[in-house]
Amino acid sequence: MQSKSKHRQRFGYSTIQEALEKFLSNVDDSKISLAVEIVSLEDAKDRVLAKDLASRIDLPPFKRAAMDGYAVLARDTKGASKKNPVLLDVIGSISAGEQTSFRVKSTKVVGIATGARMPKGADAVMMVEYTQRQNQKVKIFQEVESGKHVALKGEDVKKGQIVLQKGRWLTPQDVGIIAATGINKVHVFRKPRIAIFSTGSELVEPGSVNGAGCIFESNRRMISGMVTEYGADVVDLGICKDDRDAIKARLKKALVFDAVIVSGGSSVGEKDFVPEIINEMGKPGVVVHGIAMKPGSPTALGFVNGKPIIAVPGYPVSAFVAFYIFGRALLQKILKTLGPKEGRLMARITDEVKLHEGKYTFLRVKVINDNGSYLAEPISAAGASLLSTLAYSNGMVIIGNRNKLRKGEKVEVVLLGGIRENFIGGAE
Ligand code: AMP
Ligand code: MG
């Protein structure tokens, strides 16, 4: 391994922002343009909308009752109170989905269910809770104003309105609104196919016999999970020894797909061949090598004939943060989306933390809800090889241009997991 200063000397560190800018501006849309495919709603969640989606109908599609009760003329309820109820005639009832021809005139009402079409003439719904039925009559104990508990046609969504825009990462709620407009198929981008392989002669597959000096391979599984989380399909190309020809051959296979993630061998050590090989295989080669972040500084970003390649360092936490920053941004760019949603919150740090000056530090934290305000307990700011520091944290604080965080300082946390709630009042 060569020293950090040697690394800096050879490449100079880019800031994360510079690296992102250099990398993303080199992404050639014409080389990675995703086809549009049509999927049914069952398969639409977590896909990216490829066309603006307009509603073909008004929502609600007709004027309807928003409560169970009686469709009335509001003015007939004037003066009604518990002591002085108004007595009105019930001329029928309408349930949801029923077509009727009732017309509500003065002193007449129609029983109505939530969601049922409002009868002609009626301008309000009197909630059943404030009435008392007496055969064909009903006692009304409260006034109601015109328009109350009536949902107007198109008040939710207007016919022709763009309900969701191109680039939208479809959530369950989105799928719900698409279904509500009567549409059962949507145009989405084809999922990019991301080839991934790990380099390292010491690596063996989990489940196999672990020989002397061997390390179980974990980055590929972890990053594959992130790839699918950010909307792409994984093409798993396995483990490759630290051998130039073997890596070249594997990279050649990988370059058939939309983008490539290579784990390990990205630094400047004797067996770190990946950046050189990227340069040898095509233009423009490596565009960024060495990033002012910790962990993750030996990350390399490049292109071979227009295909993006992210070479993440082998240390698992480095691999995670490098993919979190660059892999996620690449997939968002390819898929023309901002999604999927990411939770962030402000929390107070519970201890002083030393940061890596001149670099962005990826501090792993445990966020807890302390009676309604969030605390972030530092787990580790270093330890690129310590995967447990990542697995045991539920948040990450990304912070640059500082040498330390003071105890009690407010920081923004990217949530990586759920928060154990400490509910007010102690109920749990
Ligand atoms: P490298 O970046 O290739 O120099 O790898 C640094 C260290 O990270 C190696 O010594 C391995 O112990 C570990 N490592 C590399 N690749 C992986 C991997 N795919 N899974 C788990 N650990 C790895
Ligand atoms: Mg290695």
Side-chain angles (χ1 to χ4, degrees), residues 247-265:
I247 296 173
K248 257 192 183 172
R250 203 65 64 100
L251 192 54
K252 198 166 169 206
K253 266 192 191 171
L255 285 165
V256 171
F257 302 99
D258 296 301
V260 182
I261 313 292
V262 187
S263 157

Side-chain angles (χ1 to χ4, degrees), residues 98-146:
E98 232 182 336
Q99 286 284 359
T100 61
S101 55
F102 292 117
R103 172 171 282 277
V104 172
K105 294 184 186 147
S106 190
T107 74
K108 312 284 183 222
V109 303
V110 172
I112 197 158
T114 303
R117 186 188 284 266
M118 286 291 284
K120 291 195 181 71
D123 65 347
V125 172
M126 185 70 230
M127 283 169 72
V128 71
E129 289 85 341
Y130 303 110
T131 65
Q132 192 179 61
R133 186 71 181 259
Q134 293 180 331
N135 300 319
Q136 294 314 300
K137 294 198 180 287
V138 64
K139 271 185 182 169
I140 307 276
F141 298 104
Q142 213 180 54
E143 286 189 3
V144 68
E145 72 230 48
S146 179

Side-chain angles (χ1 to χ4, degrees), residues 34-41 43-55 161-171 173-175 177-179 181 183-192 231 332-340:
L34 296 176
V36 172
E37 56 189 34
I38 296 175
V39 293
S40 61
L41 282 194
D43 301 318
K45 183 173 91 69
D46 293 330
R47 299 300 299 267
V48 177
L49 207 55
K51 275 182 167 183
D52 287 349
L53 189 136
S55 178
Q161 182 183 326
I162 303 294
V163 187
L164 299 168
Q165 285 179 324
K166 177 179 172 178
R168 176 88 175 192
W169 181 280
L170 296 174
T171 62
Q173 309 84 291
D174 294 339
V175 175
I177 201 168
I178 298 168
T181 66
I183 294 169
N184 68 345
K185 288 187 166 65
V186 284
H187 291 81
V188 295
F189 289 118
R190 168 177 75 75
K191 285 192 173 195
Q332 287 180 346
K333 167 124 191 188
I334 295 177
L335 279 161
K336 300 177 171 58
T337 185
L338 296 173

Side-chain angles (χ1 to χ4, degrees), residues 110-332:
V110 172
I112 197 158
T114 303
R117 186 188 284 266
M118 286 291 284
K120 291 195 181 71
D123 65 347
V125 172
M126 185 70 230
M127 283 169 72
V128 71
E129 289 85 341
Y130 303 110
T131 65
Q132 192 179 61
R133 186 71 181 259
Q134 293 180 331
N135 300 319
Q136 294 314 300
K137 294 198 180 287
V138 64
K139 271 185 182 169
I140 307 276
F141 298 104
Q142 213 180 54
E143 286 189 3
V144 68
E145 72 230 48
S146 179
K148 193 81 181 168
H149 306 314
V150 176
L152 299 178
K153 177 178 174 171
E155 77 172 17
D156 192 5
V157 174
K158 295 248 175 322
K159 181 176 176 175
Q161 182 183 326
I162 303 294
V163 187
L164 299 168
Q165 285 179 324
K166 177 179 172 178
R168 176 88 175 192
W169 181 280
L170 296 174
T171 62
Q173 309 84 291
D174 294 339
V175 175
I177 201 168
I178 298 168
T181 66
I183 294 169
N184 68 345
K185 288 187 166 65
V186 284
H187 291 81
V188 295
F189 289 118
R190 168 177 75 75
K191 285 192 173 195
R193 285 182 299 169
I194 310 299
I196 179 165
F197 64 97
S198 286
T199 68
S201 300
E202 76 280 25
L203 302 174
V204 294
E205 292 287 5
S208 60
V209 178
N210 191 5
C214 288
I215 295 285
F216 288 123
E217 201 284 326
S218 57
N219 292 349
R220 219 165 90 245
R221 298 279 174 253
M222 176 175 63
I223 293 177
S224 295
M226 296 168 89
V227 166
T228 53
E229 200 173 313
Y230 296 122
D233 281 334
V234 173
V235 180
D236 181 7
L237 297 182
I239 298 172
C240 181
K241 296 243 179 284
D242 290 315
D243 170 273
R244 275 176 190 283
D245 293 339
I247 296 173
K248 257 192 183 172
R250 203 65 64 100
L251 192 54
K252 198 166 169 206
K253 266 192 191 171
L255 285 165
V256 171
F257 302 99
D258 296 301
V260 182
I261 313 292
V262 187
S263 157
S266 70
S267 192
V268 293
E270 212 183 306
K271 300 266 177 185
D272 291 336
F273 300 129
V274 175
E276 270 168 60
I277 290 172
I278 295 172
N279 281 332
E280 282 167 25
M281 286 187 68
K283 294 281 169 221
V286 172
V287 295
V288 177
H289 192 189
I291 300 162
M293 61 194 282
K294 209 152 168 94
S297 60
T299 301
L301 308 169
F303 296 85
V304 168
N305 305 328
K307 288 284 169 75
I309 304 172
I310 302 177
V312 302
Y315 277 136
V317 185
S318 308
F320 179 88
V321 299
F323 187 84
Y324 173 76
I325 295 292
F326 301 106
R328 179 166 149 270
L330 176 66
L331 289 178
Q332 287 180 346

